[in-house]
mmCIF file of all heavy atoms in Angstrom:
data_model
loop_
_atom_site.group_PDB
_atom_site.id
_atom_site.type_symbol
_atom_site.label_atom_id
_atom_site.label_comp_id
_atom_site.label_asym_id
_atom_site.label_seq_id
_atom_site.Cartn_x
_atom_site.Cartn_y
_atom_site.Cartn_z
ATOM 1 N N ASP A 331 7.655 -19.185 7.847
ATOM 2 C CA ASP A 331 8.790 -19.385 6.986
ATOM 3 C C ASP A 331 9.043 -20.682 6.402
ATOM 4 O O ASP A 331 9.577 -20.881 5.363
ATOM 5 C CB ASP A 331 10.132 -19.025 7.902
ATOM 6 C CG ASP A 331 10.214 -17.553 8.187
ATOM 7 O OD1 ASP A 331 9.618 -16.825 7.539
ATOM 8 O OD2 ASP A 331 11.038 -17.179 9.026
ATOM 9 N N GLU A 332 8.411 -21.769 7.159
ATOM 10 C CA GLU A 332 8.526 -23.071 6.627
ATOM 11 C C GLU A 332 7.765 -23.219 5.317
ATOM 12 O O GLU A 332 8.157 -23.845 4.322
ATOM 13 C CB GLU A 332 7.950 -23.950 7.636
ATOM 14 C CG GLU A 332 7.980 -25.492 7.341
ATOM 15 C CD GLU A 332 7.346 -26.354 8.403
ATOM 16 O OE1 GLU A 332 7.080 -25.849 9.507
ATOM 17 O OE2 GLU A 332 7.066 -27.545 8.069
ATOM 18 N N VAL A 333 6.480 -22.609 5.327
ATOM 19 C CA VAL A 333 5.593 -22.796 4.063
ATOM 20 C C VAL A 333 6.185 -21.840 3.073
ATOM 21 O O VAL A 333 6.344 -22.264 1.827
ATOM 22 C CB VAL A 333 4.223 -22.268 4.310
ATOM 23 C CG1 VAL A 333 3.300 -22.623 3.236
ATOM 24 C CG2 VAL A 333 3.719 -22.876 5.726
ATOM 25 N N PHE A 334 6.727 -20.696 3.388
ATOM 26 C CA PHE A 334 7.334 -19.815 2.408
ATOM 27 C C PHE A 334 8.536 -20.416 1.715
ATOM 28 O O PHE A 334 8.677 -20.364 0.552
ATOM 29 C CB PHE A 334 7.926 -18.549 3.158
ATOM 30 C CG PHE A 334 8.832 -17.688 2.387
ATOM 31 C CD1 PHE A 334 8.439 -16.712 1.582
ATOM 32 C CD2 PHE A 334 10.203 -17.791 2.629
ATOM 33 C CE1 PHE A 334 9.253 -15.927 0.831
ATOM 34 C CE2 PHE A 334 10.990 -17.008 1.852
ATOM 35 C CZ PHE A 334 10.565 -16.059 1.013
ATOM 36 N N GLN A 335 9.431 -21.122 2.557
ATOM 37 C CA GLN A 335 10.602 -21.761 1.978
ATOM 38 C C GLN A 335 10.159 -22.900 0.987
ATOM 39 O O GLN A 335 10.786 -23.118 -0.045
ATOM 40 C CB GLN A 335 11.526 -22.287 3.018
ATOM 41 C CG GLN A 335 12.822 -22.873 2.517
ATOM 42 C CD GLN A 335 13.763 -21.787 1.980
ATOM 43 O OE1 GLN A 335 13.662 -20.656 2.237
ATOM 44 N NE2 GLN A 335 14.467 -22.171 0.892
ATOM 45 N N ALA A 336 9.220 -23.658 1.324
ATOM 46 C CA ALA A 336 8.731 -24.757 0.514
ATOM 47 C C ALA A 336 8.262 -24.166 -0.847
ATOM 48 O O ALA A 336 8.562 -24.857 -1.926
ATOM 49 C CB ALA A 336 7.619 -25.555 1.216
ATOM 50 N N LEU A 337 7.517 -23.166 -0.834
ATOM 51 C CA LEU A 337 7.011 -22.541 -2.123
ATOM 52 C C LEU A 337 8.267 -21.969 -2.888
ATOM 53 O O LEU A 337 8.282 -22.026 -4.044
ATOM 54 C CB LEU A 337 6.089 -21.484 -1.779
ATOM 55 C CG LEU A 337 4.662 -21.898 -1.295
ATOM 56 C CD1 LEU A 337 3.734 -20.610 -0.919
ATOM 57 C CD2 LEU A 337 3.936 -22.627 -2.447
ATOM 58 N N LEU A 338 9.177 -21.355 -2.193
ATOM 59 C CA LEU A 338 10.334 -20.694 -2.850
ATOM 60 C C LEU A 338 11.083 -21.668 -3.609
ATOM 61 O O LEU A 338 11.473 -21.469 -4.772
ATOM 62 C CB LEU A 338 11.246 -20.068 -1.804
ATOM 63 C CG LEU A 338 12.216 -19.032 -2.271
ATOM 64 C CD1 LEU A 338 11.547 -17.781 -2.964
ATOM 65 C CD2 LEU A 338 13.171 -18.593 -1.166
ATOM 66 N N GLU A 339 11.332 -22.836 -3.083
ATOM 67 C CA GLU A 339 12.077 -23.914 -3.672
ATOM 68 C C GLU A 339 11.451 -24.458 -4.954
ATOM 69 O O GLU A 339 12.058 -24.998 -5.809
ATOM 70 C CB GLU A 339 12.458 -24.964 -2.729
ATOM 71 C CG GLU A 339 13.314 -24.543 -1.631
ATOM 72 C CD GLU A 339 13.588 -25.474 -0.561
ATOM 73 O OE1 GLU A 339 13.169 -26.737 -0.799
ATOM 74 O OE2 GLU A 339 14.312 -25.249 0.442
ATOM 75 N N LYS A 340 10.045 -24.246 -5.075
ATOM 76 C CA LYS A 340 9.270 -24.650 -6.187
ATOM 77 C C LYS A 340 9.208 -23.449 -7.231
ATOM 78 O O LYS A 340 8.673 -23.556 -8.304
ATOM 79 C CB LYS A 340 7.946 -25.047 -5.811
ATOM 80 C CG LYS A 340 7.917 -26.273 -4.890
ATOM 81 C CD LYS A 340 7.990 -27.550 -5.679
ATOM 82 C CE LYS A 340 7.647 -28.721 -4.702
ATOM 83 N NZ LYS A 340 7.747 -29.989 -5.463
ATOM 84 N N GLY A 341 9.724 -22.312 -6.882
ATOM 85 C CA GLY A 341 9.707 -21.114 -7.780
ATOM 86 C C GLY A 341 8.516 -20.156 -7.534
ATOM 87 O O GLY A 341 8.223 -19.357 -8.482
ATOM 88 N N TYR A 342 7.910 -20.247 -6.309
ATOM 89 C CA TYR A 342 6.749 -19.366 -5.999
ATOM 90 C C TYR A 342 7.172 -18.402 -4.999
ATOM 91 O O TYR A 342 7.466 -18.838 -3.781
ATOM 92 C CB TYR A 342 5.528 -20.141 -5.697
ATOM 93 C CG TYR A 342 5.163 -20.986 -6.891
ATOM 94 C CD1 TYR A 342 5.536 -22.270 -7.107
ATOM 95 C CD2 TYR A 342 4.134 -20.444 -7.794
ATOM 96 C CE1 TYR A 342 5.156 -22.995 -8.210
ATOM 97 C CE2 TYR A 342 3.817 -21.140 -8.845
ATOM 98 C CZ TYR A 342 4.275 -22.471 -9.064
ATOM 99 O OH TYR A 342 3.857 -23.205 -10.157
ATOM 100 N N ILE A 343 7.260 -17.139 -5.159
ATOM 101 C CA ILE A 343 7.672 -16.135 -4.246
ATOM 102 C C ILE A 343 6.471 -15.476 -3.561
ATOM 103 O O ILE A 343 5.652 -14.917 -4.284
ATOM 104 C CB ILE A 343 8.536 -15.016 -4.728
ATOM 105 C CG1 ILE A 343 9.692 -15.657 -5.622
ATOM 106 C CG2 ILE A 343 9.152 -14.190 -3.663
ATOM 107 C CD1 ILE A 343 10.501 -14.531 -6.318
ATOM 108 N N VAL A 344 6.232 -15.614 -2.252
ATOM 109 C CA VAL A 344 5.133 -15.055 -1.584
ATOM 110 C C VAL A 344 5.817 -14.291 -0.384
ATOM 111 O O VAL A 344 6.968 -14.047 -0.376
ATOM 112 C CB VAL A 344 4.162 -15.996 -1.040
ATOM 113 C CG1 VAL A 344 3.379 -16.711 -2.254
ATOM 114 C CG2 VAL A 344 4.775 -17.064 -0.182
ATOM 115 N N ARG A 345 5.006 -13.732 0.568
ATOM 116 C CA ARG A 345 5.577 -12.992 1.640
ATOM 117 C C ARG A 345 5.320 -13.829 2.995
ATOM 118 O O ARG A 345 4.160 -14.074 3.322
ATOM 119 C CB ARG A 345 4.881 -11.656 1.789
ATOM 120 C CG ARG A 345 5.612 -10.613 2.573
ATOM 121 C CD ARG A 345 6.954 -10.260 1.892
ATOM 122 N NE ARG A 345 7.812 -9.472 2.811
ATOM 123 C CZ ARG A 345 7.760 -8.139 2.997
ATOM 124 N NH1 ARG A 345 6.851 -7.419 2.357
ATOM 125 N NH2 ARG A 345 8.626 -7.606 3.880
ATOM 126 N N SER A 346 6.331 -14.085 3.697
ATOM 127 C CA SER A 346 6.261 -14.728 4.890
ATOM 128 C C SER A 346 5.690 -13.828 6.008
ATOM 129 O O SER A 346 5.919 -12.624 6.061
ATOM 130 C CB SER A 346 7.576 -15.206 5.452
ATOM 131 O OG SER A 346 7.486 -15.646 6.796
ATOM 132 N N GLY A 347 4.671 -14.290 6.834
ATOM 133 C CA GLY A 347 4.097 -13.467 7.853
ATOM 134 C C GLY A 347 4.839 -12.992 8.931
ATOM 135 O O GLY A 347 4.555 -12.297 9.692
ATOM 136 N N ASN A 348 6.091 -13.799 9.054
ATOM 137 C CA ASN A 348 6.954 -13.422 10.098
ATOM 138 C C ASN A 348 7.455 -11.979 10.018
ATOM 139 O O ASN A 348 7.639 -11.320 11.088
ATOM 140 C CB ASN A 348 8.201 -14.336 10.179
ATOM 141 C CG ASN A 348 8.059 -15.625 10.972
ATOM 142 O OD1 ASN A 348 7.601 -15.534 12.129
ATOM 143 N ND2 ASN A 348 8.292 -16.739 10.393
ATOM 144 N N ALA A 349 7.539 -11.475 8.848
ATOM 145 C CA ALA A 349 7.972 -10.068 8.706
ATOM 146 C C ALA A 349 6.865 -9.048 8.839
ATOM 147 O O ALA A 349 7.116 -7.914 8.867
ATOM 148 C CB ALA A 349 8.736 -9.941 7.325
ATOM 149 N N LEU A 350 5.675 -9.528 8.927
ATOM 150 C CA LEU A 350 4.463 -8.745 8.758
ATOM 151 C C LEU A 350 3.652 -8.768 10.128
ATOM 152 O O LEU A 350 2.630 -8.085 10.222
ATOM 153 C CB LEU A 350 3.547 -9.171 7.649
ATOM 154 C CG LEU A 350 4.192 -9.285 6.376
ATOM 155 C CD1 LEU A 350 3.182 -9.998 5.424
ATOM 156 C CD2 LEU A 350 4.476 -7.923 5.905
ATOM 157 N N GLY A 351 4.176 -9.482 11.170
ATOM 158 C CA GLY A 351 3.421 -9.536 12.507
ATOM 159 C C GLY A 351 2.477 -10.679 12.521
ATOM 160 O O GLY A 351 1.730 -10.756 13.450
ATOM 161 N N PHE A 352 2.516 -11.616 11.542
ATOM 162 C CA PHE A 352 1.589 -12.766 11.603
ATOM 163 C C PHE A 352 2.389 -14.047 11.384
ATOM 164 O O PHE A 352 2.475 -14.479 10.172
ATOM 165 C CB PHE A 352 0.486 -12.639 10.465
ATOM 166 C CG PHE A 352 -0.572 -11.545 10.796
ATOM 167 C CD1 PHE A 352 -0.359 -10.307 10.390
ATOM 168 C CD2 PHE A 352 -1.726 -11.969 11.467
ATOM 169 C CE1 PHE A 352 -1.365 -9.347 10.753
ATOM 170 C CE2 PHE A 352 -2.761 -11.022 11.785
ATOM 171 C CZ PHE A 352 -2.474 -9.768 11.384
ATOM 172 N N PRO A 353 2.994 -14.540 12.344
ATOM 173 C CA PRO A 353 4.206 -15.534 12.257
ATOM 174 C C PRO A 353 3.572 -16.903 11.586
ATOM 175 O O PRO A 353 4.378 -17.739 11.236
ATOM 176 C CB PRO A 353 4.691 -15.729 13.604
ATOM 177 C CG PRO A 353 3.622 -15.141 14.507
ATOM 178 C CD PRO A 353 2.978 -14.051 13.755
ATOM 179 N N THR A 354 2.277 -17.134 11.628
ATOM 180 C CA THR A 354 1.810 -18.319 11.013
ATOM 181 C C THR A 354 1.047 -18.140 9.720
ATOM 182 O O THR A 354 0.439 -19.090 9.208
ATOM 183 C CB THR A 354 0.879 -19.110 12.015
ATOM 184 O OG1 THR A 354 -0.356 -18.471 12.316
ATOM 185 C CG2 THR A 354 1.574 -19.400 13.333
ATOM 186 N N HIS A 355 1.107 -17.047 9.156
ATOM 187 C CA HIS A 355 0.425 -16.623 7.919
ATOM 188 C C HIS A 355 1.303 -16.461 6.785
ATOM 189 O O HIS A 355 2.503 -16.182 6.976
ATOM 190 C CB HIS A 355 -0.354 -15.317 8.228
ATOM 191 C CG HIS A 355 -1.560 -15.430 9.224
ATOM 192 N ND1 HIS A 355 -1.274 -15.746 10.548
ATOM 193 C CD2 HIS A 355 -2.872 -15.192 9.044
ATOM 194 C CE1 HIS A 355 -2.438 -15.664 11.157
ATOM 195 N NE2 HIS A 355 -3.424 -15.431 10.194
ATOM 196 N N LEU A 356 0.804 -16.646 5.610
ATOM 197 C CA LEU A 356 1.424 -16.080 4.370
ATOM 198 C C LEU A 356 0.569 -14.990 3.814
ATOM 199 O O LEU A 356 -0.733 -15.111 3.811
ATOM 200 C CB LEU A 356 1.520 -17.175 3.355
ATOM 201 C CG LEU A 356 2.535 -18.303 3.522
ATOM 202 C CD1 LEU A 356 2.628 -19.275 2.375
ATOM 203 C CD2 LEU A 356 3.904 -17.803 3.824
ATOM 204 N N ARG A 357 1.168 -13.975 3.276
ATOM 205 C CA ARG A 357 0.482 -13.042 2.481
ATOM 206 C C ARG A 357 0.773 -13.276 0.969
ATOM 207 O O ARG A 357 1.916 -13.303 0.489
ATOM 208 C CB ARG A 357 0.862 -11.593 2.721
ATOM 209 C CG ARG A 357 -0.026 -10.495 2.148
ATOM 210 C CD ARG A 357 0.557 -9.061 2.339
ATOM 211 N NE ARG A 357 1.673 -8.968 1.359
ATOM 212 C CZ ARG A 357 2.501 -7.993 1.377
ATOM 213 N NH1 ARG A 357 2.342 -7.005 2.192
ATOM 214 N NH2 ARG A 357 3.554 -7.855 0.571
ATOM 215 N N ILE A 358 -0.320 -13.481 0.201
ATOM 216 C CA ILE A 358 -0.111 -13.957 -1.205
ATOM 217 C C ILE A 358 -0.868 -12.925 -2.071
ATOM 218 O O ILE A 358 -1.982 -12.649 -1.864
ATOM 219 C CB ILE A 358 -0.850 -15.380 -1.440
ATOM 220 C CG1 ILE A 358 -0.070 -16.476 -0.512
ATOM 221 C CG2 ILE A 358 -0.523 -15.794 -2.872
ATOM 222 C CD1 ILE A 358 -0.759 -17.807 -0.514
ATOM 223 N N THR A 359 0.015 -12.399 -3.060
ATOM 224 C CA THR A 359 -0.681 -11.524 -3.972
ATOM 225 C C THR A 359 -1.655 -12.287 -4.890
ATOM 226 O O THR A 359 -1.275 -13.456 -5.293
ATOM 227 C CB THR A 359 0.350 -10.790 -4.829
ATOM 228 O OG1 THR A 359 1.203 -10.109 -3.862
ATOM 229 C CG2 THR A 359 -0.172 -9.831 -5.803
ATOM 230 N N ILE A 360 -2.711 -11.659 -5.335
ATOM 231 C CA ILE A 360 -3.662 -12.328 -6.194
ATOM 232 C C ILE A 360 -3.009 -12.218 -7.658
ATOM 233 O O ILE A 360 -2.763 -11.205 -8.130
ATOM 234 C CB ILE A 360 -5.070 -11.740 -6.250
ATOM 235 C CG1 ILE A 360 -5.563 -11.644 -4.795
ATOM 236 C CG2 ILE A 360 -5.943 -12.506 -7.153
ATOM 237 C CD1 ILE A 360 -5.690 -13.042 -4.155
ATOM 238 N N GLY A 361 -2.734 -13.356 -8.225
ATOM 239 C CA GLY A 361 -2.162 -13.422 -9.520
ATOM 240 C C GLY A 361 -3.185 -13.707 -10.693
ATOM 241 O O GLY A 361 -4.386 -13.449 -10.483
ATOM 242 N N THR A 362 -2.715 -14.142 -11.776
ATOM 243 C CA THR A 362 -3.665 -14.473 -12.818
ATOM 244 C C THR A 362 -4.322 -15.842 -12.440
ATOM 245 O O THR A 362 -3.891 -16.483 -11.450
ATOM 246 C CB THR A 362 -2.856 -14.853 -14.091
ATOM 247 O OG1 THR A 362 -1.961 -15.900 -13.955
ATOM 248 C CG2 THR A 362 -2.049 -13.501 -14.597
ATOM 249 N N GLU A 363 -5.331 -16.244 -13.050
ATOM 250 C CA GLU A 363 -6.037 -17.463 -12.752
ATOM 251 C C GLU A 363 -5.138 -18.573 -12.688
ATOM 252 O O GLU A 363 -5.211 -19.484 -11.837
ATOM 253 C CB GLU A 363 -7.248 -17.679 -13.727
ATOM 254 C CG GLU A 363 -7.957 -18.985 -13.466
ATOM 255 C CD GLU A 363 -9.263 -19.156 -14.446
ATOM 256 O OE1 GLU A 363 -9.282 -18.389 -15.368
ATOM 257 O OE2 GLU A 363 -9.867 -20.155 -14.199
ATOM 258 N N GLN A 364 -4.296 -18.724 -13.704
ATOM 259 C CA GLN A 364 -3.290 -19.777 -13.813
ATOM 260 C C GLN A 364 -2.246 -19.827 -12.719
ATOM 261 O O GLN A 364 -2.058 -20.727 -12.070
ATOM 262 C CB GLN A 364 -2.533 -19.818 -15.170
ATOM 263 C CG GLN A 364 -1.571 -21.033 -15.280
ATOM 264 C CD GLN A 364 -0.854 -21.049 -16.636
ATOM 265 O OE1 GLN A 364 -1.442 -20.423 -17.612
ATOM 266 N NE2 GLN A 364 0.252 -21.736 -16.785
#
Side-chain angles (χ1 to χ4, degrees):
D331 282 350
E332 183 184 347
V333 191
F334 166 84
Q335 186 62 34
L337 288 173
L338 193 65
E339 292 175 9
K340 299 276 190 181
Y342 296 88
I343 311 173
V344 296
R345 198 72 192 273
S346 169
N348 270 311
L350 304 172
F352 288 88
T354 63
H355 293 63
L356 288 183
R357 191 192 69 190
I358 304 173
T359 302
I360 307 304
T362 65
E363 181 178 4
Q364 181 176 341

